[in-house]
Amino acid sequence: MSETPMTTERLAEIRDLIRYESSIAFYSHRAKESILLLVAEAEDAAKLRARVTELEAERHSTNESLSEAAEALRMQRDQTAELRAAFFQRGEKIARQSGEIRVLKRESEAPVQRVRRVLETEHVVDRSALEYRGLISAALMGTEQQPEAGAR
């Protein structure tokens, strides 16, 4: 083999080649690290996308359940209103007492109307409390007492 003499130019060229190879190795290693980081980030992104998809499916399921429950409550409310109206027409009402629902008979309003008529039409002036009390008692008992023509 023939040897080339080691001149300063040749030494400078060798030094430049070694620096070039070192920089290639350095940047190659950096490139590998960057690629590995990108792959890891891509895997994390894929996992996050999968989790988002799961959560969206769960949200849709929850919304459907909530809609069904709300519809059931609306139907129950409407049925309760219909029942209340039906009981009211029959002279009864629904009441919740001690956690139980009871049907209560509505008392007749006729005595109240008769007492109201007495209070609105009969004069109080020049009447004793006893007379006025008698008129109210008669109205409550259902007997219509007409004041006598000469009585005050």
Side-chain angles (χ1 to χ4, degrees), residues 127-138:
R127 259 191 204 186
S128 69
L130 193 57
E131 287 176 317
Y132 207 69
R133 182 177 165 201
L135 288 173
I136 292 174
S137 296

Side-chain angles (χ1 to χ4, degrees), residues 18-141:
I18 291 172
R19 280 188 194 145
Y20 177 72
E21 284 183 11
S22 297
S23 68
I24 289 176
F26 174 77
Y27 288 112
S28 174
H29 178 69
R30 294 279 302 225
K32 287 178 188 175
E33 285 180 349
S34 296
I35 290 172
L36 289 174
L37 285 173
L38 286 173
V39 168
E41 287 177 2
E43 289 173 348
D44 288 345
K47 288 177 186 175
L48 290 173
R49 281 190 200 96
R51 180 67 178 139
V52 166
T53 303
E54 287 175 23
L55 291 173
E56 285 177 343
E58 185 178 327
R59 184 189 71 198
H60 291 303
S61 171
T62 302
N63 287 345
E64 288 174 9
S65 298
L66 184 61
S67 293
E68 290 171 2
E71 183 62 29
L73 284 173
R74 279 191 288 276
M75 286 177 54
Q76 186 178 13
R77 179 199 62 204
D78 295 345
Q79 289 173 347
T80 302
E82 290 174 10
L83 286 173
R84 282 184 188 272
F87 280 110
F88 183 77
Q89 285 177 351
R90 291 191 340 215
E92 301 170 336
K93 70 177 187 176
I94 300 173
R96 186 180 301 264
Q97 293 177 339
S98 304
E100 295 180 11
I101 296 177
R102 297 180 184 263
V103 177
L104 304 173
K105 294 280 185 191
R106 189 172 54 183
E107 296 179 14
S108 174
E109 294 180 8
V112 175
Q113 295 300 328
R114 288 193 301 266
V115 170
R116 177 176 282 150
R117 193 174 331 114
V118 167
L119 293 174
E120 289 173 350
T121 59
E122 297 297 328
H123 298 284
V124 178
V125 181
D126 293 331
R127 259 191 204 186
S128 69
L130 193 57
E131 287 176 317
Y132 207 69
R133 182 177 165 201
L135 288 173
I136 292 174
S137 296
L140 284 174
M141 289 183 204

